[in-house]
C-alpha cells in the first residue's frame, strides 16, 4: 500500500475579484458555490492510501471572462471526479484511456460553453496526475504545470502549450526576448478549444518514496523561479503542509499589488 500526503491551497491572489482556479484530489474539488464564496483562500490537507484503485489529482485554471473561467475550471475537475475512473477501468492501454478521457472532456466543455451567453467561449487549462497500481502518468493541456522534486533536485515535467514556449523549443529567440512578447502566453492547446484535443501525456512510472510532485496554476509558476521552489522544498524538518503555505505566501509577496489566482497542489510520497 502506498501512502501519499496531499496538500492543496487555492488563493484568489492579490488583485483578482473572481477566483477561476480549481483543483481535484480524488473526488474533492471546489464546487461552484464554494468558488463563488471564496474571499481569500481554500486549503485541504489529507493522506491518501492507494491500493488497487486509480487516483486522480489535477489543477485547472479557468479562461473566458468573469463567470466563464470559474465555470470551466469547476466543470473540468467535476468531469474527472465523476467520470475519470470509468475511462481508466476500460480495457486496453492506460495511456490511451487517459487521452480519451481528456479528449471527451474537451468536447463536453465545448458543448456546455454554447448553452449560455455568459459562458460562451469559456475554457480552462488542465494539468494532472493519475496513479494506478505501480504506474503514474501526467496529462496536460495549457500552461498549468507539474514539477517533480527528487534527490534535492526540482525539474519541470510538463511543457507549457504556449506561443512563447513553442518559440523557445524551436530556438528562434532567447528567453529574455520571449519574455518581452505580448502574446507569449497565448495557448494553442487547452480544455474548451473547438478542435479535437490530444493532451500531452508523460509517463512517470513507479514513483519512488520521498518524491514530491507539485502541480500549480501559472499564477504560482509566474511568481516563483524554479530554484526558489526547490529551496523551500529542500528544507528539512518542515511538514509538507507548512511548505505549501510558505510557497503560497512567498508567491503572494512577490506581487503585492498585482497577482493572478494561485493554486498549488503537492503530493509527498
Amino acid at each position: 500500500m502506498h501512502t501519499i500526503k496531499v496538500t492543496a491551497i487555492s488563493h484568489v491572489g492579490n488583485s483578482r475579484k473572481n477566483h477561476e482556479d480549481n483543483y481535484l484530489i480524488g473526488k474533492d474539488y471546489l464546487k461552484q458555490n464554494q468558488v463563488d464564496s471564496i474571499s481569500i483562500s481554500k486549503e485541504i490537507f489529507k493522506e491518501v492510501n492507494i491500493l488497487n484503485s486509480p487516483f486522480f489529482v489535477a489543477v485547472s485554471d479557468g479562461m473566458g471572462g468573469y463567470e466563464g473561467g470559474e465555470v470551466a475550471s469547476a466543470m473540468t475537475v467535476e468531469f474527472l471526479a465523476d467520470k475519470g475512473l470509468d475511462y481508466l477501468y476500460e480495457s486496453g492501454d492506460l495511456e490511451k484511456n487517459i487521452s480519451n478521457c481528456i479528449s471527451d472532456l474537451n468536447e463536453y466543455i465545448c458543448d456546455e460553453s454554447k448553452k449560455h451567453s455568459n459562458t460562451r467561449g469559456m475554457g480552462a487549462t488542465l494539468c494532472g496526475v493519475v496513479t494506478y497500481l505501480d504506474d503514474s502518468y501526467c496529462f496536460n493541456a495549457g500552461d498549468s504545470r507539474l514539477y517533480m522534486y527528487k534527490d534535492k533536485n526540482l525539474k519541470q515535467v510538463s511543457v507549457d502549450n504556449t506561443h512563447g514556449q513553442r518559440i523557445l523549443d524551436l530556438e528562434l529567440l532567447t528567453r529574455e526576448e520571449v519574455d518581452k512578447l505580448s502574446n507569449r502566453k497565448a495557448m494553442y492547446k487547452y480544455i474548451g478549444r473547438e478542435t479535437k484535443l490530444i493532451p500531452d501525456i508523460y509517463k512517470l512510472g513507479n514513483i519512488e518514496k520521498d518524491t514530491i510532485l507539485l502541480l500549480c496554476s501559472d499564477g504560482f509558476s509566474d511568481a516563483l523561479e524554479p530554484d526558489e521552489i526547490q529551496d523551500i522544498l529542500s528544507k528539512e524538518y518542515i511538514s509538507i503542509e507548512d511548505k505549501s503555505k510558505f510557497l503560497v505566501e512567498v508567491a503572494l509577496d512577490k506581487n503585492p499589488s498585482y497577482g493572478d489566482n494561485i493554486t498549488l497542489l503537492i503530493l509527498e510520497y
Side-chain angles (χ1 to χ4, degrees):
M1 179 180 293
H2 303 284
T3 300
I4 304 175
K5 291 182 179 179
V6 187
T7 77
I9 301 178
S10 196
H11 196 291
V12 70
N14 288 322
S15 63
R16 295 297 178 93
K17 293 181 179 180
N18 58 315
H19 196 75
E20 297 187 340
D21 282 4
N22 215 308
Y23 61 77
L24 174 68
I25 301 176
K27 295 287 186 178
D28 295 325
Y29 59 94
L30 298 178
K31 309 299 192 294
Q32 191 58 52
N33 62 335
Q34 290 178 297
V35 175
D36 293 340
S37 65
I38 288 177
S39 59
I40 299 179
S41 69
K42 177 75 174 180
E43 301 176 2
I44 182 170
F45 308 110
K46 64 190 299 183
E47 287 193 2
V48 178
N49 292 321
I50 299 177
L51 186 55
N52 294 317
S53 299
F55 179 64
F56 268 108
V57 294
V59 165
S60 182
D61 182 356
M63 306 152 50
Y66 181 80
E67 186 170 346
E70 58 203 48
V71 172
S73 60
M75 292 178 68
T76 291
V77 294
E78 180 183 24
F79 181 97
L80 289 180
D82 292 346
K83 299 183 168 89
L85 296 186
D86 295 338
Y87 288 86
L88 302 185
Y89 284 129
E90 292 179 359
S91 60
D93 181 72
L94 180 59
E95 183 174 344
K96 183 178 180 181
N97 292 342
I98 295 171
S99 184
N100 290 339
C101 174
I102 307 306
S103 179
D104 288 351
L105 162 61
N106 183 65
E107 290 187 19
Y108 167 69
I109 296 297
C110 288
D111 291 342
E112 290 295 314
S113 72
K114 301 170 186 174
K115 293 182 178 180
H116 306 284
S117 59
N118 59 342
T119 59
R120 196 171 304 277
M122 70 179 180
T125 69
L126 178 64
C127 188
V129 173
V130 58
T131 296
Y132 191 13
L133 299 176
D134 291 330
D135 227 353
S136 294
Y137 289 87
C138 167
F139 50 90
N140 181 59
D143 65 353
S144 293
R145 290 181 181 176
L146 171 66
Y147 294 93
M148 177 182 286
Y149 176 79
K150 181 180 177 183
D151 298 328
K152 298 186 178 181
N153 290 306
L154 183 78
K155 72 172 183 177
Q156 183 178 332
V157 176
S158 61
V159 177
D160 296 347
N161 300 139
T162 60
H163 177 63
Q165 184 60 51
R166 187 151 52 181
I167 290 175
L168 287 173
D169 293 341
L170 294 172
E171 299 181 349
L172 299 177
L173 296 173
T174 66
R175 179 166 295 279
E176 290 74 19
E177 292 169 328
V178 168
D179 287 342
K180 296 177 182 178
L181 297 177
S182 59
N183 65 340
R184 68 188 182 282
K185 289 181 67 64
M187 283 180 277
Y188 59 85
K189 184 184 293 189
Y190 55 87
I191 304 297
R193 185 167 184 240
E194 288 284 351
T195 185
K196 179 174 177 57
L197 174 65
I198 301 176
D200 298 339
I201 305 288
Y202 305 89
K203 183 176 176 61
L204 305 177
N206 185 13
I207 299 176
E208 298 177 356
K209 183 181 177 181
D210 298 325
T211 299
I212 292 175
L213 299 183
L214 185 153
L215 290 153
C216 62
S217 61
D218 69 333
F220 177 81
S221 58
D222 284 350
L224 292 183
E225 295 296 329
D227 60 342
E228 295 177 293
I229 302 172
Q230 179 177 292
D231 180 61
I232 293 173
L233 291 180
S234 66
K235 295 185 182 300
E236 298 181 0
Y237 311 115
I238 300 177
S239 69
I240 201 65
E241 293 90 342
D242 287 339
K243 288 179 181 178
S244 300
K245 292 178 181 179
F246 187 38
L247 282 164
V248 171
E249 289 173 3
V250 173
L252 290 167
D253 288 343
K254 293 290 284 290
N255 294 300
S257 61
Y258 172 79
D260 196 358
N261 304 150
I262 290 174
T263 297
L264 177 68
L265 191 156
I266 295 181
L267 300 91
E268 183 181 52
Y269 288 75

